C-alpha cells in the first residue's frame, strides 16, 4: 500500500533546512579536523569507523555509501601512513579486515576530540534535558528507538 504524497508544510521544510545546515556545518568541521592530521574527510571517516571495530572493505563501502574500490584506495593510503593495517578475519581466513593500529586509534581519538569543539558550541546552548530530547527525537526520526541500557 502506497501512501499518497502530501505537500510538505512550512514547519517540516524549515526543520529539513535546519538539519541540512547542521549536517553541512558538521562536515565542514570534520574536514577541518581531518586536515589538521593531514587526512581527507573520507580518510578520517574510515579511521573513525575502524576505531570501533575492524571490518571488511565491503562493509566500509556500505557504511560510507561508496564503491569498494574507493575504500581500497583510502585504506591503502591509511596503511601507508601506519594508521590502518589489513589482517585476516579469525572466523573466515578468506576475508581481509581493515583495522586501526595503535597510532590510528590515537589519531581517531584526537579527531573525535576536535569534533567535540563543534558539538560543544551549538549543543552547549542546550541544557542536558534539551540534549536528551533532541537525541530521542533524532532516534525516533531514524527509527532507532531507545538502545538497551541507554544512559538518561
Amino acid at each position: 500500500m502506497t501512501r499518497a504524497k502530501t505537500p510538505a508544510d512550512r514547519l517540516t521544510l524549515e526543520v529539513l533546512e535546519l538539519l541540512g545546515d547542521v549536517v553541512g556545518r558538521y562536515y565542514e568541521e570534520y574536514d577541518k579536523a581531518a586536515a589538521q592530521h593531514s587526512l581527507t574527510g573520507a580518510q578520517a571517516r574510515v579511521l573513525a569507523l575502524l576505531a570501533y571495530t575492524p571490518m571488511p572493505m565491503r562493509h566500509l563501502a556500505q557504511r560510507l555509501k561508496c564503491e569498494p574500490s574507493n575504500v581500497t584506495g583510502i585504506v591503502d593510503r591509511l596503511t601507508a601512513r601506519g594508521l590502518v593495517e589489513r589482517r585476516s578475519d579469525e572466523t573466515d581466513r578468506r576475508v581481509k579486515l581493515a583495522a586501526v593500529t595503535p597510532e590510528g586509534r590515537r589519531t581517531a581519538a584526537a579527531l573525535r576530540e576536535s569534533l567535540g569543539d563543534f558539538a560543544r558550541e551549538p549543543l552547549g546552548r542546550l541544557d542536558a534535558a534539551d540534549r536528551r530530547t533532541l537525541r530521542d527525537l533524532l532516534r525516533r526520526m531514524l527509527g532507532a528507538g531507545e538502545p538497551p541500557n541507554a544512559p538518561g
Side-chain angles (χ1 to χ4, degrees), residues 1-150:
M1 178 168 167
T2 305
R3 274 186 356 186
K5 287 188 179 185
T6 58
D9 61 271
R10 290 181 80 97
L11 177 59
T12 299
L13 292 174
E14 184 179 0
V15 168
L16 289 173
E17 230 175 88
L18 290 168
L19 283 172
D21 290 348
V22 169
V23 169
R25 188 165 165 196
Y26 172 80
Y27 278 115
E28 282 176 28
E29 293 299 319
Y30 204 98
D31 288 344
K32 282 182 197 172
Q36 291 173 352
H37 298 277
S38 302
L39 297 169
T40 66
Q43 289 169 339
R45 284 186 276 285
V46 166
L47 198 58
L49 286 171
L50 294 176
Y52 291 106
T53 186
M55 63 179 71
M57 307 281 205
R58 65 180 169 9
H59 290 169
L60 279 170
Q62 289 167 347
R63 293 288 305 269
L64 296 170
K65 297 181 180 14
C66 67
E67 292 297 317
S69 60
N70 291 348
V71 171
T72 299
I74 293 168
V75 169
D76 286 346
R77 287 184 285 285
L78 292 171
T79 299
R81 289 197 43 198
L83 301 174
V84 169
E85 64 185 9
R86 287 183 173 89
R87 60 172 83 138
S88 295
D89 185 339
E90 292 176 9
T91 60
D92 184 348
R93 294 296 214 189
R94 297 169 297 172
V95 175
K96 292 290 183 197
L97 300 175
V100 293
T101 62
E103 181 61 26
R105 191 167 309 285
R106 284 189 289 277
T107 302
L111 279 164
R112 268 193 310 281
E113 183 60 31
S114 297
L115 286 173
D117 294 338
F118 162 74
R120 273 189 287 278
E121 188 241 316
L123 291 176
R125 296 180 195 143
L126 305 175
D127 64 23
D130 286 340
R131 287 193 305 272
R132 277 191 293 276
T133 299
L134 177 59
R135 175 203 61 199
D136 295 345
L137 289 170
L138 291 169
R139 283 182 179 158
R140 277 181 38 204
M141 282 179 64
L142 297 171
E146 190 70 22
N149 302 321

